[in-house]
Amino acid sequence: MFSKTPCEDYVDSAVKQTLSIHLAQPAGDILVFMTGQEDIEVTCQVLKERMEQLENPPPLSILPIYSQLPADLQAKIFQRSEGNARKVIVATNIAETSLTVDGIMYVVDTGYCKLKVYNPRIGMDALQVTPISQANGNQRSGRAGRTGPGVAYRLYTEEAYRNEMFFNTIPEIQRTNLASVVLQLKCLGVKNLLDFDFMDPPPQENILNSMYQLWILGAFDNGGDLTTAGAKMNEFPLDPSLAKMLITAEEQGCTAEVVTIVSMLSVPSVFYRPKERMEESDAAREKFFVPESDHLTLLHVYTQWKSNNYRDDWCTKHFVHPKAMRKAREVRAQLIDIMKTVKMPYVSCGTDWDVIRKCICSAYFHQAARLKGIGEYVNCRSGMKCHLHPTSALFGAGFTPDYVVYHELILTSKEYMQCVTSVDPYWLAELGPMFFSIRERDRR
C-alpha cells in the first residue's frame, strides 16, 4: 500500500503508521525499516513515549536491530515477547535479506537507506541517506507475510516509486575506493586497467585515483607497473594502506604490534555506546586511551583483553563488543599465517611505541592534517577542513598535536577524521617526499 501524499518526516510518519497498525489491525508483528542506528533509537524512543500517552493500549514490545547492538539484544527479536505482546522490530536494511523473523505480518517501509559513497576528489567516504531502489522496495514488501498473509505500508507515493527510484541499487564497485581491486588486477597481469571489461564499469576517475594512491604507497612505479612492495602488499587480504603499514613494520621491527592494530582496524568499531549508559561507557573507553593515538588505543584494548584470557565478561564490563574482538583475533591469526608464508618475522618493539606511530605514518602520510583551531584541522594536501571526533583519544587529551594522520574521513554532520594518530612532521617529509619538505625558519 502506497502513501497518498509524500511524507516530510519519515521517522514521525513511521511512528504514526506503526501505532495505527497496532491499535486497529489484527494480531501480527510489525517490521519497520529505518536508515541507521540514530534513526532507530529515535523511533523506538518516540514509540515508547506515544504508547505511554495512550490510555490502556494493548502491550507492544519495541525491539531495535542494527549491527552495533550486542548479540544478546539482537537475539531478542527472534524470541517470543512477554505476555505474547505484539512485537515491533525497528531495523536497518539488514532485515531485507540477511534475516527472516517469523510472525511478521506488517512492514512499514520509509523508502530510505544509508549508502556508503566514495568521493575520489577528496578521498572521503560519506554515509548518505538516499532513497531506496525499486528492487529494495519489493524485497522489503516481501518480508511481510513470509509465514502467512501480510501487508506492506510504503511511506512514499506510487508516482515516486515508478518515476523517482532507480530500478536497482547502484553497484558497490561504482561508489567505492578501488585501490584493492586495482592492485589485484595488476598482480593478475592486466596491463591497461581503463580498458578492462568490468561487468559494471566504475567511473574512470575512481580507477585513476586508486592508481595514484598505489603509486604514493610505492605499490606502482612511475610507469604504472607493479613494484616488489606492491606484489608483497597483494599477499595480504587488506586495504593497501594497511598492507603498507605491515611491510614498514618489518623494517622498523614491530610487526607483533602492527598486526594487532591492522586486525582491529579490519573489524567494525569495538566500542559499544548504549544510549542509556553513554557516560558510563565513555568513562570505560577513556581508561584505554593512549593520548597520542587512536591506533595505539586499539592496541591497548587488545593487549588488555589478551591479558584477561580473551574473556567475554571482561568485554561486557568495559563496553567492548566481544563479537568484534573475536573477529579481530581471527583476522590476526590469519595475517600471522600469511606473514609466515611470505617469511615476514614476528617481532615486538616492546614499549617503544614511537616506531609504531612511524609505521602508521608510512601508511597514511597522504592523509595528513595540520592544526588550525581547537579540535579543527585542515588536510595538508587539499586544505579541506576536518575535525577530531568526540570519541577520539586525542579529543579530550588536554593538548592538540600540530600534525596528525587519519585512517579515513567520514562525512556525517561534519567532516570527521576516524582513527587519528599524532605524528612528527619530520616523518611526513621522510616518508612522503612527493608531498612534504621541511622548510627551516631562520633563527635570528
Side-chain angles (χ1 to χ4, degrees), residues 53-197:
Q53 291 163 11
L54 298 171
E55 280 184 38
N56 295 328
L60 183 67
S61 174
I62 303 163
L63 304 168
I65 172 106
Y66 48 86
S67 61
Q68 289 294 305
L69 202 65
D72 55 329
L73 295 179
Q74 285 189 20
K76 277 190 175 181
I77 67 163
F78 300 107
Q79 295 158 7
R80 190 168 286 224
S81 53
E82 280 180 37
N84 244 358
R86 189 200 297 263
K87 285 190 297 196
V88 55
I89 296 161
V90 190
T92 57
N93 51 2
I94 187 178
E96 265 180 37
T97 51
S98 305
L99 47 92
T100 299
V101 184
D102 277 350
I104 298 287
M105 296 298 170
Y106 307 98
V107 164
V108 177
D109 176 11
T110 54
Y112 291 96
C113 66
K114 264 188 184 168
L115 276 187
K116 202 172 188 181
V117 182
Y118 179 68
N119 183 335
R121 288 200 182 113
I122 49 176
M124 178 165 73
D125 279 314
L127 268 177
Q128 292 180 347
V129 175
T130 51
I132 59 170
S133 64
Q134 291 182 16
N136 286 134
N138 296 338
Q139 183 64 33
R140 289 180 176 192
S141 300
R143 309 316 284 174
R146 285 264 150 173
T147 50
V151 185
Y153 295 87
R154 292 172 166 177
L155 304 183
Y156 44 90
T157 61
E158 190 167 1
E159 190 185 351
Y161 172 79
R162 297 201 184 287
N163 304 327
E164 292 171 23
M165 288 181 173
F166 286 124
F167 193 66
N168 282 308
T169 311
I170 297 167
E172 193 172 359
I173 195 167
Q174 295 179 353
R175 52 183 172 84
T176 192
N177 183 354
L178 297 171
S180 298
V181 177
V182 167
L183 181 61
Q184 205 164 12
L185 287 172
K186 272 286 179 191
C187 287
L188 291 169
V190 177
K191 284 276 184 281
N192 191 343
L193 295 163
L194 296 176
D195 289 342
F196 185 74
D197 190 18

Side-chain angles (χ1 to χ4, degrees), residues 1-5 7 9-26 28-34 43 46-47 50-51 60 86 88 105-110 151-156:
M1 290 170 71
F2 289 98
S3 170
K4 288 186 173 62
T5 55
C7 70
D9 180 346
Y10 60 85
V11 171
D12 188 55
S13 302
V15 169
K16 284 177 181 168
Q17 186 62 63
T18 303
L19 288 174
S20 130
I21 295 167
H22 179 52
L23 300 173
Q25 299 294 338
D29 296 337
I30 308 166
L31 175 61
V32 182
F33 282 101
M34 276 291 155
T43 306
V46 175
L47 265 173
R50 301 248 174 112
M51 282 294 287
L60 183 67
R86 189 200 297 263
V88 55
M105 296 298 170
Y106 307 98
V107 164
V108 177
D109 176 11
T110 54
V151 185
Y153 295 87
R154 292 172 166 177
L155 304 183
Y156 44 90

Side-chain angles (χ1 to χ4, degrees), residues 123-125 384 386 406-411 415-417:
M124 178 165 73
D125 279 314
M384 192 180 78
C386 34
Y406 55 84
H407 176 57
E408 60 182 348
L409 258 189
I410 291 281
L411 176 68
E415 299 87 350
Y416 282 119
M417 299 182 284

